[in-house]
Amino acid sequence: MFKSRSEGNVVYKCTVRLLEDLDVLECEFQPHHKGSFLLEYICDTLEITERDYFGLRFVDSAKQRHWLDLAKTIIKQVKDVEPLVLSFRVKFYPADPCRLTGNGKVMLFQQLKRDLRHGRLYCSIGEAAALGALIVQDEVGDYDPEAHTGEYVSSLKIALRQTEPLEKKVLELHQKREPGQDAAGVMDEFVGIARSLETYGIDPHPVKDHRGTQLYLGINFSGISTFAAGRRAQHFRWPEVHKINFEGKMFIIHLAYTDDRREVKKHTVGFKCPSGSACRYVWRCAIEQMLFFTLPNSQQASVMSGGGFFSWGTKFKYSGRTEREILSESLNALRQQKLNNTSPSKRKAQSVPATPSSPQGDLAEIRYSSLPRSTMSEPLGGCNDHHMASSVYCTDNPLPTLETVSEEARKTNGESNDHLSDYYFRDSFDHSSSESGFTSNVIENRLGSHLHHRQNYTSDAISSLAMHSMANNSAMIQQQNATNSAKNVKKFSLIQAFVPSFIFVVVVLAVSAVYILESDSEMFSSMKNWPEMICLRYQYYQPLKEFLAKKFGAIF
């Protein structure tokens, strides 16, 4: 990264690598520009309309990958990166690839070819051969016996492990293809086959389970999956994921699902990442994927916090549109375009109510076509039949919103109740004070009336009445002072009681944790296997225990 000064403005320059390795873009930005500025510039240059599915990725000085945050300034995120090189990649793989049009679908096609070359799109040799034949068809066109001689497939990079049997299979399938197929049909067929694979849209993250087994964690539109030896071992769907957080190097998933007896079950699964920064990266990727594919709109996204009690918390606020917002806007645009293309006679027939003399067919068609779609999972554009078999993976069930949204709502309700109770206390207190003032005025008025109308009262009676009124006033004042002092004493007692209680709870938790970790009882065996307890033992308790043993061992 280098910068140049002109007229007092600092301009930063960066290099953006596109999906083809040899294609790059040189971009400029200023210190106040955010990540969205750079992404919009690249998408406008490439003429991509569905820019929400794409992102920019970079590698920091510690060799850790990061997605460029679109809501933060660029220079604050890449200040330690030298040279500044960003990669333009597909960030959110759509559940239905037919939703992308134009250059957006071309970029998805190039990304899937790149995934196959780098081994992320893992598949069998038969599926790899079918995808390889489509790549050859896209690169060299129809098979020509005179032009395509020898092993012309070897000159093309198709898969990560491109063996000789795979190249022969690709060659056979390419020679058997019918000539005359256009590039759009080849691209749709390739994307359709890739969509049916379990590793579609998966960026594998190396992790280990509680037994130390090497696994790869994958996150896409359907949920979180684990892969072992190239096969999917576990799959946690987004409706089952209740919460996602991390603790040090431990990535933790909290599940809530319904069993066969329709009883809600809760389960916690943890995976150990290579480092704390890698764990935070996995956590953020999972949060972004879940929010993009499950939230109805971005306004419902609250601030997500990760990290547990023994680690520094990381907060993240989702920025950008969700998939449902993108589909809603696309459907509205299609309806508006269809309405504009409607003939004036049909528009007039749509506005006139049906009568026995008016035709019913056109009106029924217009009314049916104007109804909104019942699901967001339907494709916006038509697809061929050979790759529509993958639509069984698209679910029409409404996805739940995040629990944090309801927590914010409950917090708001709690604050309104606090304001209401405070208002009621102040109103009752002011009302009692006004009543005491009104009572003293009445007594004085009565005293004056007695002196004016009845002159035969003796001075002793008058003095006793005045003393009675003064006693009432002093009693009211004493009562008010007692109320204020009681309130102050109550606050002071609450503060005094909180600190010892907090210390007591911390001590009890610490003693309980030490007892559980040091105990050999079978009653605590299942509790010791919790991801939180494993993280506590190996990251905090065991190092602290060794430190204290060395410290006191050196003294004694």
Side-chain angles (χ1 to χ4, degrees), residues 260-331:
D260 298 336
R261 300 178 181 178
R262 295 183 179 181
E263 297 180 357
V264 179
K265 301 290 184 180
K266 293 185 179 181
H267 186 58
T268 303
V269 184
F271 302 96
K272 188 177 182 180
C273 300
S275 62
S277 58
C279 187
R280 286 192 297 271
Y281 175 69
V282 174
W283 171 79
R284 179 160 179 170
C285 289
I287 290 294
E288 287 184 311
Q289 294 282 337
M290 181 175 64
L291 296 181
F292 180 80
F293 288 108
T294 59
L295 279 186
N297 53 70
S298 57
Q299 284 75 20
Q300 295 187 7
S302 59
V303 178
M304 307 296 296
S305 60
F309 184 77
F310 295 100
S311 64
W312 293 100
T314 301
K315 293 185 178 180
F316 169 71
K317 180 68 169 66
Y318 178 78
S319 60
R321 298 186 301 173
T322 63
E323 189 181 41
R324 295 191 184 184
E325 287 181 300
I326 300 171
L327 297 181
S328 299
E329 293 181 5
S330 301
L331 290 175

Side-chain angles (χ1 to χ4, degrees), residues 202 216-227 232 234-238 240-241 243-244 251-253 255 271 282 285-287 289-290:
I202 292 297
Y216 288 93
L217 202 68
I219 309 164
N220 62 359
F221 67 92
S222 62
I224 304 175
S225 303
T226 58
F227 295 89
R232 185 161 67 180
Q234 295 172 309
H235 180 58
F236 311 113
R237 298 171 58 251
W238 289 130
E240 300 174 352
V241 178
K243 183 181 178 182
I244 302 173
F251 176 70
I252 304 172
I253 307 172
L255 303 173
F271 302 96
V282 174
C285 289
I287 290 294
Q289 294 282 337
M290 181 175 64

